[in-house]
Amino acid sequence: MPQNGPLLEDVDVVTAADPVCQPVADLRSVTPKHEATGTAWASLGAGDGAGGGSVVLTSYPEGGAKAWMSELRAAVSTCKDFVASSERGWKDRGTLKVSPTDGIGDESLAFSTVSAEDPGKGQAMTIVRTDGSLAVYLTSSEGEPIPAALMKTQHERLREARK
């Protein structure tokens, strides 16, 4: 998932070379194992528009978000060398590294990727579960990390919306 990979709105069917890594590849695939019942996507930018990221909010049927988080946690802890390809022909190679998440949401997971082709490039991803929803925050290695306060506020808003 290096910087030079496709944009989230350009995702297609994505397959991991190692099946253990498929839950991570599913984050960018139009055919994930856990199909969302609703999705919203937005760009996040710094004050001058540089160094931003994106967030994808998805909701799932009963137990889907929790199951995917469990599978992602197992995949990220096991899959260190990540290779994924798409039906459109792009291929990404990188190394996954787990990062701390400050206990955001009902549960959260953060990891970064470092591109095998360009070690100076990569992405950071934080996934926050709120009940049956996932918020996936993505930034490039050149951008500033998404502030934990923003992710906590989004979690609280999702929690309020479910009442």
Side-chain angles (χ1 to χ4, degrees):
M1 300 188 319
Q3 170 78 6
N4 60 356
L7 299 173
L8 286 176
E9 66 264 19
D10 292 332
V11 294
D12 60 326
V13 177
V14 180
T15 306
D18 182 347
V20 170
C21 303
Q22 189 60 45
V24 177
D26 277 352
L27 289 168
R28 295 173 57 193
S29 183
V30 295
T31 60
K33 177 181 174 182
H34 300 281
E35 190 173 332
T37 56
T39 302
W41 179 88
S43 293
L44 304 172
D48 63 1
S54 63
V55 61
V56 178
L57 300 174
T58 52
S59 58
Y60 296 89
E62 183 75 30
K66 194 170 190 175
W68 198 352
M69 281 295 287
S70 177
E71 292 166 18
L72 281 166
R73 194 171 308 286
V76 170
S77 67
T78 306
C79 178
K80 300 302 177 203
D81 295 317
F82 181 74
V83 178
S85 57
S86 79
E87 288 184 338
R88 290 187 183 171
W90 58 260
K91 189 171 198 171
D92 282 344
R93 292 183 177 92
T95 303
L96 298 180
K97 180 182 173 191
V98 177
S99 307
T101 61
D102 299 327
I104 302 166
D106 295 336
E107 63 180 317
S108 55
L109 170 67
F111 62 93
S112 59
T113 62
V114 177
S115 171
E117 287 83 23
D118 186 354
K121 301 240 184 226
Q123 292 181 331
M125 190 173 290
T126 302
I127 300 103
V128 178
R129 184 179 67 80
T130 303
D131 298 324
S133 298
L134 295 181
V136 179
Y137 300 90
L138 177 69
T139 58
S140 72
S141 58
E142 294 84 24
E144 292 293 318
I146 306 288
L150 183 142
M151 291 185 271
K152 287 178 182 179
T153 298
Q154 182 62 48
H155 167 71
E156 291 165 6
R157 287 180 179 166
L158 286 170
R159 174 68 39 95
E160 278 296 312
R162 294 191 57 94
K163 290 182 179 180

